[in-house]
Structure formats: C-alpha cells, structure tokens
Amino acid sequence: MLAKPQIVVVDYGMGNLWSVLSALEFLGARPLISSNPADILKAEAILLPGVGSFRLAMKSLIEKNLGEAIKEAVQIKQRKILGICLGFQMLADFSLEDGMTPGLGLIPVPVEGFGDQELEGRKLPHIGFNQVILPNSSVLFDGFTGAEDFYFVHSYRLLLKALPGKGAICNYGVDFLAAYEYKNVFGVQFHPEKSQDVGLNVLANFLQFARDAGRKV
Amino acid sequence: MRSETFTTHQIIGNPVSTIDRLSNWNVDELVLLDISRDDQHDMRREDHFVRYDGSSTLDLLGYIARSCGMPLAFGGRIRTLEDIQQRISAGADKCVVNTQAYRRPDFIREASETFGAQCVVVSIDALRHSDGSTEVFVKGGKEATGLRPEDWAREVERLGAGEIFLNSIDRDGVGNGYDLSLVQDVTDATSVPVVACGGVGNYEDFSTAIFEASAAAVAAANIFHFRELSYPRAKQACIAAGVSMRPANVDSKWFPRDQPYDTVRENERIQARLANAKSDHVRSVYASDDVPEMTWCKRCVFPVISATPMSLDEDGVCMGCRMAEVYDNISDDEWKQREGVLFDILDQNRSTDGLRHDCIIPVSGGKDSYFQVHYVKNVLGFNPLLVTYYGNNYTDVGERNLKRMKDVFEVDHLIYYPSIGLLQKLNRLSLIAMGDMNWHAHVGIATLPIRTAVQQHIPTVIWGEHGFTSLCGQYSKDDYFEWNYRNRREHSARGYEWNFFVGIEGITPQDMMCYQYPSDKKIFETGLRGIYLGNHTHWDANNHIELVRTQYDFEVSEEPFDRTYRTMSNLDDMHENGVHDYLKYIKFGYGRCTDHASKDIRSGVLSRGQAINLVRQYDHVKPSDLVRWLDYVGMDERTFDQICDTFRDPRVWRKIDGEWVKSNLWDRAG
C-alpha cells in the first residue's frame, strides 16, 4: 500500500520532460523522473511524454527494458498510464512513421500520417490550438462540456476506429483521435502542459483519478 | 523591449511580470527573442519584488518558463545544437534561429533532424527597399544578404524548418499594419506555417493579415504592452472580423492575476534585511559581482542605472532625450489631429443618459491636475468626475490647491481618505520591504480611479503625461500608450500587490480595499481605457504652470524644496520630493533634481553645465521633511539610515573607509 500514490514520468532519453514536470509540480504533484523499470513497476500512475521520432523512441524504450515494464504495470498490475503526444502514439499498436514500428499495443489502433488529399493544403506539422470534441462523463474531461481548444504539435495521428473506451475527436482536414481513455489507459495527442487552463484541468483530473485509485488500494 | 525599425530599442519592463500577464490571458503562444548582445540580463533591483538568482539568458529563461503556461518559442544567439538543447532543457518548446541559419544553412537540417521540425523556427527579417523590392537581413537587421525573402523561405523549408517567423524591418514598431504583400509572397512560396510579425498598430490589423495575406498565424509585440487587456481585446476584434479562434481567458483559474505571496519567505526576507541593517557591515546581496563603469546620457544628466528603465542609443544619447525630440517635432497640424483622436474617444464614451459622468480624471491637485481638468472640461467640453487618493502628505499650499478644484472648475470631486493608522503602518512597512515609504501613494493613485471607473461604469480615465515616457523615453508618440495593469503592478507597486501587506501587524483585506484593483473581467466589461493627455496635446510643464496660475489662481510654493530647484512640482506630497526622493538617491545615486534638470535641458531651459551644477547642489541633500516622517511612523533616524543602506545599488555605491561613495558626473565632465 502506498501512502502517497507515486507518479513516475518515464525518461527514455528523448523529448522534453521539462514542461510536463513543470506542469505537474505546478499542480502540486511531486513526480519521480525515472528510466528504471523497477520504479515503473512500483508506480501508481505512469506518465509517458514524448516529442520526436516514433521509431527512435520505441527503440530507446525497448533498449532500456521500459516497454515491458510499462506493459506489465498497466496490463497486469492495472496501474494508470497517461501518454502525451508521442507518448500517446506509443500506446497504439504500431506506427507508419519512418517505416513500420510496433508500439506498446495498449490501444488497438494504428498511427498514420495525414494524407495530402485529407490536408487540402493545410500545413504540417499540425501546430497550434485546435478544437477538440469531448466525450461525455469521462475522467480526463470531467467538468468540461462540448468542446475545448487544446495545443497540438504533431504530424502523425491515431486513426479513428471503433474502440471500447471514450475518445475525443479533433479535425485537421480529417477527424483523428485527440484523446482516449479506457479503464486505466489514458492518452492525449495534444499537449495539456501547454494548453493553459483547460490543459491543466485535464492533468489535474488525471492526478485526481490516480490519487483516488491510490486510496482505494 | 519596445522596438522600432530594428534601430530604436526601449526597455519597457521586466520580462517576468510581462509574461505573468500574458499567462493570465492564456495567450496561444509566446515568441521571446533575446536581443542582448552579450549574455547578461541585469535585473538587480533590491526594491522590486521580482528578483531571481543568476543573470544569464538561460537563468532568465528558466525563471520565466516556470510561470509560463503557454508554448514558448525562444530565440537569440543560437548557434549550436547544444544551444538548442540547453534552451529546451530550460523550458523552451521551440527555438528560433536567424543569423546562424544564414551563416550555416546545414544547421537548420541538423537541428530539424535532432529535435524535430516542430522545434525549429527560422526567423526571417525582411526589409522593403524604397524601390519596392524586398531583401533578407541578418544580425538584427544590420547585415544585408542579397536574398529575396520568398527564396530564402523556400530554402529553409527544404532544409527542415517547421515554421517561419517573418518580421518586417521597416514596419517594426511603426504601427501602420503588416506588409501584406511580403506576408503573401512568403506564404505562397512555402508549405510550412508562416507567422507574420511587424507593424501592428490596431487590433484590426491581425485579421487583415489572415484574410488578405493568408498568414497562418499573426504575432505582435509592442501593442500587447501598450494597452489594458490588449490580448483579450485583440482576440475579440479577430473573432468579430470572422477569424475562427478561441477567445482569450480573462479569469484564469490556474494563472490568476493576483497571486498569494509566500508569507514565510517574504517575512524571512524582511527579517534578513533588518538584521543586515543593524549589522556594522551593511552588505548588499550582490556585492561580490563585477561593478560596471557608471555612464550618463551625453546630452542630459540622466544615469543609465536608474529607477526608471533607461537605455542609451549608439551615440550615447538617452531615450528620454530622443523621445523629447520626437514629441517636440510634432507639428501643430499633427497635434490637432491627435487632439481629434482624444475627442473621439471621449465623445464615443460620453454619458448619453445623464446617469454618470463622461470620464474620470485622477487628480492630486497639482499643476498637472489643473491642466488636465482645464483641458478636458474647458477646452474639449466634457464633464469629468475628479477622483483623489488622499495620502495625508499634502503641503498646505497643495491642500488648498486640491480643495479649490471643485470651485474653480465647477466639477464634482471625490476625495478618498484612508485611515491614518493604516497609512502610518504602510509607510513604515513599505520602507522596510521595498525601500519606498510611498508605496501606498503610488498604488492608491493607480487603483482608486480605476475602482471608481468600474463601480460607476465610466469607461474613460484621463491621465496627464506618461511619466516614464517624458523622463526616460519609454514609449513613442505613435504607440499611444494607454494605462494598464502591468504598468501599475511593476512600476507603481514594484511587484507588491495589496495582499502582500495582509496579515502583517493585523492588516486585513478590508483595510486594503482602496488598493484592490478590479478584476480583469470587470475591467473588460466596463471597456475601460486610460488615456494619457501627453499623447494628444503638447505637454510643457513650464507653459502649463503659467496657464493654471493666471487662469485658475493655482498657488506655487513660496519656499523652495530641499532637493530640487523647481517650486511647482509635487505640492500634493511633501515626501515625494523629500524622503521618497532621497531614497531614490540612496538606491541609485541621483534624485529629483536630475529628473527636473534633464527635462529642462531637453526643453532648452538649462545648459548641461548649469544642470550639472544644480545636480551637484541638490541630489545628495537629506531633506527636512524626514523629521515629520520619522515622527509620523515612529522610527528613529539611525534605524531609517540603516534600512536605507540595505537598498544601495552595488552598481552605483561602494563603501570605502566607512563612507558610501559613487562616481559623479562632474568627476569626468570637469
């Protein structure tokens, strides 16, 4: 039993942890940054951030034995995970960025690029605030209704498919999965740490959920 | 920084409080360009709340990023991949590269491959020549490249830039709108987002660039610092014009405007200062640092290290002198046109139903107050409500002038008298906390008229001249700088809001009511604008005094002040020219006489030699009103001196053989 649910931010040597950490600390959390699989297995909640190449990120995750640890923590120990941006994509089955690379397989959809026809002249990467249609009665969007604007920076996206959980949808020429939650698996394509009030509300909702779950143990 | 055509740069404030304000509004994205030539950000002010350890670019970035909830693109002197890595580690989301991309184009490719295209913004500074052609410049607009912006944009995209930040050199800070054909040409040439920058003078300019020049995003600097709630109002104008964007937040939950103070830490800071004051060897927290040579403006007598933000141009002339030239060269026709702008603002907001006054004029009862009311009521023909914060420091002459205003102008006048007990506490506590016993006066004057405006739904407040513009040239004429909270927070309050004092010596929130600034939401709903008359009519203190004396029997002081040769200023507050100003001398080594003499050099009343003699005679004088003040707050002179010494700026003062010494203008001028 954990007196204080431990939040671990996975450091696999890529991307910018700083903003995520800063946002978590801003919200009063005291996360542990770790690249140690043992810490991941002990964590109550896992945060998987990421910016950059899917292939390199997965490679690094596997080399550091973090991929297996995350899967065990989430699938067997039922720990909560939140993937952000590339971290969200890494929860998916596979990505077609830079070849075909398998992901962690926690969300059964593929990651693909935006097609030229779909974009209709829109530019990549998809950068900036964009409107997200939110699901009803979800954990991440508790307190929100309808739609909100979040900050995106990405060129690949999770495809929209029939899924068991709750999804939020954004449109950039084509609809794509902007956020998803099912049981203990959470992910957001946008950057909640850079989406100001609304983004911090999403992170606060996830932290609250992890805290509540921690108390129930 | 306020910038104009890449040549004029005026310091307008502390980046930390500016960025706090942008966070309040949930700004979509911030581009922060470090234009300093060396890696030094001197923000050493013992008398301001905002202080941080370190002075390098990365120190500053780290400090800013902590309170920055928006995406942050950071640029300036980025030459290596390691520079980028360091900036990302310190909190930047994107890096803005300019000169180095031109020097070594492969740098763009390497950066893009290492950090991703989304992280690499290439900034292009373009100049439109008089023949209409455009050219890319680097090195802060100093070095021509012979490249056309659209060709260079195509090339940087090919190399992997994720975004282009397009700035127009000739439109920079001019305020006449974006260079639309430049924006369109570059946008057409590339498929990455182009952010347009340079030239915004009105909120309407943003949507024009989006609709008429296909800009993917629009950016501006100056305008956001010049007006109250500028960002929410800019977005309001864009949305009204049909741009699809999220509205600004004026009531942020996570980034509230008025934040609580860490009372434990603040108390420790004060206790440490008091202990320092009592010790035999008063030391400054920065005493070990290198002390640069003192420099002064070559034309007036203003020092560069000053209470007001000050910068010199390449000829060694200060921005105060430069802006005085700009204002002096405004033609009569242009003044007529500027007066028309003011008349229209007042007219659009005049009371149509007779249920309120037309505008508010904050008055102290001084010569400027008389001129403001004269101008608004008797020249332009509006009915103002006068509002006075009574700081209990009036001279007899000043008090008579104040109370006669309702009679000589036939206007309504609200005078607010805070309790004397509270004023005594605030005088003493603010001396200890920030070396300024007049915090209450500065913040009271900067708050009460705005509170009244919001309470009475009066959308226009008319101030006199903008002090920092006339003194240190902070803004230029076409900025039409308006009243705003950032200015109040940073300059009037030194970063110390009303709630800083709550809990100390039993002070309650209710005690501090007249210092509580209205919420952004209420100000937004009131549509409040604070206009400076100095931007609309020629401001000449020496002429004004003649006018108000002859037409309205304004009284001047019979006795000269201790610390300046002028007899017409600051009759409303005996300490403003006295103890308060002496504190400025203790901190920065100069006083009101330097201010007055500099202004009189600029208006041709004094020669520089005469001015230096006056400064030498007055600046150091310990004023006689100190006796009243010490008695008023219950402090002895030795304690006062000890506390003062802890605020001495180490860039100005050194202690040698038990005496505080500094270099002086006359040491070199001879």
PDB file of all heavy atoms in Angstrom, chain B residues 240-261:
ATOM      1  N   ALA B 240     -14.646  39.061 -34.027  1.00  0.00           N
ATOM      2  CA  ALA B 240     -15.676  39.913 -34.636  1.00  0.00           C
ATOM      3  C   ALA B 240     -15.488  40.007 -36.152  1.00  0.00           C
ATOM      4  O   ALA B 240     -16.447  40.139 -36.900  1.00  0.00           O
ATOM      5  CB  ALA B 240     -15.629  41.313 -34.014  1.00  0.00           C
ATOM      6  N   ALA B 241     -14.215  39.919 -36.598  1.00  0.00           N
ATOM      7  CA  ALA B 241     -13.938  40.016 -38.033  1.00  0.00           C
ATOM      8  C   ALA B 241     -14.165  38.679 -38.740  1.00  0.00           C
ATOM      9  O   ALA B 241     -14.024  38.603 -39.956  1.00  0.00           O
ATOM     10  CB  ALA B 241     -12.500  40.492 -38.250  1.00  0.00           C
ATOM     11  N   GLY B 242     -14.454  37.624 -37.983  1.00  0.00           N
ATOM     12  CA  GLY B 242     -14.771  36.343 -38.595  1.00  0.00           C
ATOM     13  C   GLY B 242     -13.647  35.323 -38.550  1.00  0.00           C
ATOM     14  O   GLY B 242     -13.737  34.266 -39.161  1.00  0.00           O
ATOM     15  N   VAL B 243     -12.557  35.608 -37.825  1.00  0.00           N
ATOM     16  CA  VAL B 243     -11.481  34.632 -37.680  1.00  0.00           C
ATOM     17  C   VAL B 243     -11.934  33.582 -36.668  1.00  0.00           C
ATOM     18  O   VAL B 243     -12.477  33.927 -35.615  1.00  0.00           O
ATOM     19  CB  VAL B 243     -10.177  35.298 -37.178  1.00  0.00           C
ATOM     20  CG1 VAL B 243      -9.067  34.264 -37.033  1.00  0.00           C
ATOM     21  CG2 VAL B 243      -9.759  36.415 -38.114  1.00  0.00           C
ATOM     22  N   SER B 244     -11.692  32.314 -37.008  1.00  0.00           N
ATOM     23  CA  SER B 244     -12.065  31.261 -36.075  1.00  0.00           C
ATOM     24  C   SER B 244     -10.927  31.055 -35.089  1.00  0.00           C
ATOM     25  O   SER B 244      -9.859  30.586 -35.449  1.00  0.00           O
ATOM     26  CB  SER B 244     -12.335  29.988 -36.883  1.00  0.00           C
ATOM     27  OG  SER B 244     -12.133  28.857 -36.085  1.00  0.00           O
ATOM     28  N   MET B 245     -11.097  31.482 -33.860  1.00  0.00           N
ATOM     29  CA  MET B 245     -10.083  31.261 -32.828  1.00  0.00           C
ATOM     30  C   MET B 245     -10.729  31.207 -31.458  1.00  0.00           C
ATOM     31  O   MET B 245     -11.842  31.677 -31.272  1.00  0.00           O
ATOM     32  CB  MET B 245      -8.986  32.341 -32.875  1.00  0.00           C
ATOM     33  CG  MET B 245      -9.449  33.756 -32.632  1.00  0.00           C
ATOM     34  SD  MET B 245      -8.077  34.874 -32.298  1.00  0.00           S
ATOM     35  CE  MET B 245      -7.155  34.862 -33.815  1.00  0.00           C
ATOM     36  N   ARG B 246     -10.002  30.603 -30.519  1.00  0.00           N
ATOM     37  CA  ARG B 246     -10.577  30.510 -29.184  1.00  0.00           C
ATOM     38  C   ARG B 246     -10.478  31.885 -28.525  1.00  0.00           C
ATOM     39  O   ARG B 246      -9.479  32.584 -28.668  1.00  0.00           O
ATOM     40  CB  ARG B 246      -9.870  29.448 -28.365  1.00  0.00           C
ATOM     41  CG  ARG B 246      -8.419  29.724 -28.154  1.00  0.00           C
ATOM     42  CD  ARG B 246      -7.712  28.637 -27.374  1.00  0.00           C
ATOM     43  NE  ARG B 246      -6.450  29.217 -26.907  1.00  0.00           N
ATOM     44  CZ  ARG B 246      -6.027  29.186 -25.658  1.00  0.00           C
ATOM     45  NH1 ARG B 246      -6.718  28.570 -24.735  1.00  0.00           N
ATOM     46  NH2 ARG B 246      -4.896  29.757 -25.321  1.00  0.00           N
ATOM     47  N   PRO B 247     -11.509  32.300 -27.815  1.00  0.00           N
ATOM     48  CA  PRO B 247     -11.450  33.596 -27.151  1.00  0.00           C
ATOM     49  C   PRO B 247     -10.420  33.579 -26.019  1.00  0.00           C
ATOM     50  O   PRO B 247     -10.083  32.514 -25.505  1.00  0.00           O
ATOM     51  CB  PRO B 247     -12.862  33.799 -26.606  1.00  0.00           C
ATOM     52  CG  PRO B 247     -13.501  32.467 -26.616  1.00  0.00           C
ATOM     53  CD  PRO B 247     -12.770  31.598 -27.576  1.00  0.00           C
ATOM     54  N   ALA B 248      -9.925  34.734 -25.664  1.00  0.00           N
ATOM     55  CA  ALA B 248      -8.966  34.811 -24.565  1.00  0.00           C
ATOM     56  C   ALA B 248      -9.685  34.614 -23.243  1.00  0.00           C
ATOM     57  O   ALA B 248     -10.889  34.830 -23.128  1.00  0.00           O
ATOM     58  CB  ALA B 248      -8.266  36.159 -24.582  1.00  0.00           C
ATOM     59  N   ASN B 249      -8.906  34.194 -22.271  1.00  0.00           N
ATOM     60  CA  ASN B 249      -9.431  33.987 -20.947  1.00  0.00           C
ATOM     61  C   ASN B 249      -9.152  35.251 -20.131  1.00  0.00           C
ATOM     62  O   ASN B 249      -8.039  35.742 -20.147  1.00  0.00           O
ATOM     63  CB  ASN B 249      -8.660  32.803 -20.343  1.00  0.00           C
ATOM     64  CG  ASN B 249      -9.383  32.181 -19.186  1.00  0.00           C
ATOM     65  OD1 ASN B 249     -10.290  32.800 -18.635  1.00  0.00           O
ATOM     66  ND2 ASN B 249      -9.005  30.984 -18.828  1.00  0.00           N
ATOM     67  N   VAL B 250     -10.146  35.779 -19.463  1.00  0.00           N
ATOM     68  CA  VAL B 250      -9.829  36.907 -18.589  1.00  0.00           C
ATOM     69  C   VAL B 250     -10.026  36.544 -17.123  1.00  0.00           C
ATOM     70  O   VAL B 250      -9.962  37.392 -16.258  1.00  0.00           O
ATOM     71  CB  VAL B 250     -10.646  38.183 -18.901  1.00  0.00           C
ATOM     72  CG1 VAL B 250     -10.095  38.879 -20.118  1.00  0.00           C
ATOM     73  CG2 VAL B 250     -12.106  37.894 -19.049  1.00  0.00           C
ATOM     74  N   ASP B 251     -10.256  35.314 -16.853  1.00  0.00           N
ATOM     75  CA  ASP B 251     -10.454  34.898 -15.464  1.00  0.00           C
ATOM     76  C   ASP B 251      -9.762  33.571 -15.229  1.00  0.00           C
ATOM     77  O   ASP B 251     -10.381  32.606 -14.818  1.00  0.00           O
ATOM     78  CB  ASP B 251     -11.950  34.759 -15.167  1.00  0.00           C
ATOM     79  CG  ASP B 251     -12.407  35.809 -14.182  1.00  0.00           C
ATOM     80  OD1 ASP B 251     -11.532  36.409 -13.534  1.00  0.00           O
ATOM     81  OD2 ASP B 251     -13.624  36.003 -14.056  1.00  0.00           O
ATOM     82  N   SER B 252      -8.478  33.519 -15.509  1.00  0.00           N
ATOM     83  CA  SER B 252      -7.774  32.247 -15.467  1.00  0.00           C
ATOM     84  C   SER B 252      -7.822  31.611 -14.078  1.00  0.00           C
ATOM     85  O   SER B 252      -7.577  32.256 -13.076  1.00  0.00           O
ATOM     86  CB  SER B 252      -6.310  32.454 -15.874  1.00  0.00           C
ATOM     87  OG  SER B 252      -5.589  31.265 -15.737  1.00  0.00           O
ATOM     88  N   LYS B 253      -8.139  30.316 -14.080  1.00  0.00           N
ATOM     89  CA  LYS B 253      -8.197  29.583 -12.820  1.00  0.00           C
ATOM     90  C   LYS B 253      -6.789  29.244 -12.332  1.00  0.00           C
ATOM     91  O   LYS B 253      -6.462  29.385 -11.161  1.00  0.00           O
ATOM     92  CB  LYS B 253      -8.996  28.297 -13.041  1.00  0.00           C
ATOM     93  CG  LYS B 253      -8.977  27.327 -11.863  1.00  0.00           C
ATOM     94  CD  LYS B 253      -9.715  26.027 -12.226  1.00  0.00           C
ATOM     95  CE  LYS B 253      -9.360  24.899 -11.271  1.00  0.00           C
ATOM     96  NZ  LYS B 253      -9.824  23.594 -11.762  1.00  0.00           N
ATOM     97  N   TRP B 254      -5.939  28.818 -13.257  1.00  0.00           N
ATOM     98  CA  TRP B 254      -4.603  28.350 -12.860  1.00  0.00           C
ATOM     99  C   TRP B 254      -3.573  29.461 -12.882  1.00  0.00           C
ATOM    100  O   TRP B 254      -2.519  29.350 -12.274  1.00  0.00           O
ATOM    101  CB  TRP B 254      -4.148  27.210 -13.766  1.00  0.00           C
ATOM    102  CG  TRP B 254      -4.983  25.979 -13.642  1.00  0.00           C
ATOM    103  CD1 TRP B 254      -5.900  25.526 -14.545  1.00  0.00           C
ATOM    104  CD2 TRP B 254      -4.999  25.045 -12.564  1.00  0.00           C
ATOM    105  NE1 TRP B 254      -6.470  24.365 -14.093  1.00  0.00           N
ATOM    106  CE2 TRP B 254      -5.944  24.050 -12.883  1.00  0.00           C
ATOM    107  CE3 TRP B 254      -4.298  24.963 -11.349  1.00  0.00           C
ATOM    108  CZ2 TRP B 254      -6.205  22.966 -12.038  1.00  0.00           C
ATOM    109  CZ3 TRP B 254      -4.558  23.894 -10.508  1.00  0.00           C
ATOM    110  CH2 TRP B 254      -5.506  22.921 -10.857  1.00  0.00           C
ATOM    111  N   PHE B 255      -3.827  30.510 -13.648  1.00  0.00           N
ATOM    112  CA  PHE B 255      -2.877  31.630 -13.706  1.00  0.00           C
ATOM    113  C   PHE B 255      -3.583  32.920 -13.309  1.00  0.00           C
ATOM    114  O   PHE B 255      -3.772  33.818 -14.118  1.00  0.00           O
ATOM    115  CB  PHE B 255      -2.280  31.769 -15.113  1.00  0.00           C
ATOM    116  CG  PHE B 255      -1.610  30.518 -15.601  1.00  0.00           C
ATOM    117  CD1 PHE B 255      -2.260  29.650 -16.467  1.00  0.00           C
ATOM    118  CD2 PHE B 255      -0.328  30.207 -15.176  1.00  0.00           C
ATOM    119  CE1 PHE B 255      -1.644  28.490 -16.903  1.00  0.00           C
ATOM    120  CE2 PHE B 255       0.297  29.053 -15.618  1.00  0.00           C
ATOM    121  CZ  PHE B 255      -0.364  28.184 -16.474  1.00  0.00           C
ATOM    122  N   PRO B 256      -4.016  32.998 -12.056  1.00  0.00           N
ATOM    123  CA  PRO B 256      -4.751  34.188 -11.624  1.00  0.00           C
ATOM    124  C   PRO B 256      -3.839  35.410 -11.589  1.00  0.00           C
ATOM    125  O   PRO B 256      -2.634  35.281 -11.387  1.00  0.00           O
ATOM    126  CB  PRO B 256      -5.225  33.818 -10.222  1.00  0.00           C
ATOM    127  CG  PRO B 256      -4.241  32.807  -9.748  1.00  0.00           C
ATOM    128  CD  PRO B 256      -3.777  32.054 -10.961  1.00  0.00           C
ATOM    129  N   ARG B 257      -4.419  36.561 -11.827  1.00  0.00           N
ATOM    130  CA  ARG B 257      -3.623  37.795 -11.844  1.00  0.00           C
ATOM    131  C   ARG B 257      -3.049  38.094 -10.462  1.00  0.00           C
ATOM    132  O   ARG B 257      -1.872  38.380 -10.323  1.00  0.00           O
ATOM    133  CB  ARG B 257      -4.526  38.953 -12.304  1.00  0.00           C
ATOM    134  CG  ARG B 257      -3.776  40.228 -12.574  1.00  0.00           C
ATOM    135  CD  ARG B 257      -4.744  41.388 -12.745  1.00  0.00           C
ATOM    136  NE  ARG B 257      -5.428  41.660 -11.488  1.00  0.00           N
ATOM    137  CZ  ARG B 257      -6.510  42.406 -11.382  1.00  0.00           C
ATOM    138  NH1 ARG B 257      -7.063  42.944 -12.454  1.00  0.00           N
ATOM    139  NH2 ARG B 257      -7.086  42.619 -10.210  1.00  0.00           N
ATOM    140  N   ASP B 258      -3.905  38.043  -9.450  1.00  0.00           N
ATOM    141  CA  ASP B 258      -3.452  38.369  -8.099  1.00  0.00           C
ATOM    142  C   ASP B 258      -3.090  37.083  -7.371  1.00  0.00           C
ATOM    143  O   ASP B 258      -3.961  36.307  -7.012  1.00  0.00           O
ATOM    144  CB  ASP B 258      -4.544  39.110  -7.333  1.00  0.00           C
ATOM    145  CG  ASP B 258      -4.918  40.408  -8.031  1.00  0.00           C
ATOM    146  OD1 ASP B 258      -4.086  40.918  -8.807  1.00  0.00           O
ATOM    147  OD2 ASP B 258      -6.037  40.888  -7.811  1.00  0.00           O
ATOM    148  N   GLN B 259      -1.817  36.861  -7.222  1.00  0.00           N
ATOM    149  CA  GLN B 259      -1.373  35.610  -6.615  1.00  0.00           C
ATOM    150  C   GLN B 259      -1.010  35.814  -5.154  1.00  0.00           C
ATOM    151  O   GLN B 259      -0.592  36.891  -4.761  1.00  0.00           O
ATOM    152  CB  GLN B 259      -0.168  35.079  -7.388  1.00  0.00           C
ATOM    153  CG  GLN B 259      -0.564  34.607  -8.763  1.00  0.00           C
ATOM    154  CD  GLN B 259       0.636  34.330  -9.640  1.00  0.00           C
ATOM    155  OE1 GLN B 259       1.721  34.099  -9.158  1.00  0.00           O
ATOM    156  NE2 GLN B 259       0.429  34.383 -10.935  1.00  0.00           N
ATOM    157  N   PRO B 260      -1.177  34.757  -4.364  1.00  0.00           N
ATOM    158  CA  PRO B 260      -0.794  34.883  -2.960  1.00  0.00           C
ATOM    159  C   PRO B 260       0.727  34.998  -2.825  1.00  0.00           C
ATOM    160  O   PRO B 260       1.464  34.515  -3.669  1.00  0.00           O
ATOM    161  CB  PRO B 260      -1.296  33.572  -2.342  1.00  0.00           C
ATOM    162  CG  PRO B 260      -1.397  32.615  -3.472  1.00  0.00           C
ATOM    163  CD  PRO B 260      -1.686  33.419  -4.700  1.00  0.00           C
ATOM    164  N   TYR B 261       1.164  35.670  -1.794  1.00  0.00           N
ATOM    165  CA  TYR B 261       2.598  35.750  -1.519  1.00  0.00           C
ATOM    166  C   TYR B 261       2.974  34.633  -0.558  1.00  0.00           C
ATOM    167  O   TYR B 261       2.169  34.208   0.263  1.00  0.00           O
ATOM    168  CB  TYR B 261       2.941  37.111  -0.903  1.00  0.00           C
ATOM    169  CG  TYR B 261       2.851  38.226  -1.907  1.00  0.00           C
ATOM    170  CD1 TYR B 261       1.649  38.871  -2.155  1.00  0.00           C
ATOM    171  CD2 TYR B 261       3.960  38.607  -2.645  1.00  0.00           C
ATOM    172  CE1 TYR B 261       1.561  39.875  -3.110  1.00  0.00           C
ATOM    173  CE2 TYR B 261       3.890  39.606  -3.600  1.00  0.00           C
ATOM    174  CZ  TYR B 261       2.682  40.227  -3.822  1.00  0.00           C
ATOM    175  OH  TYR B 261       2.595  41.211  -4.773  1.00  0.00           O
TER     176      TYR B 261
END
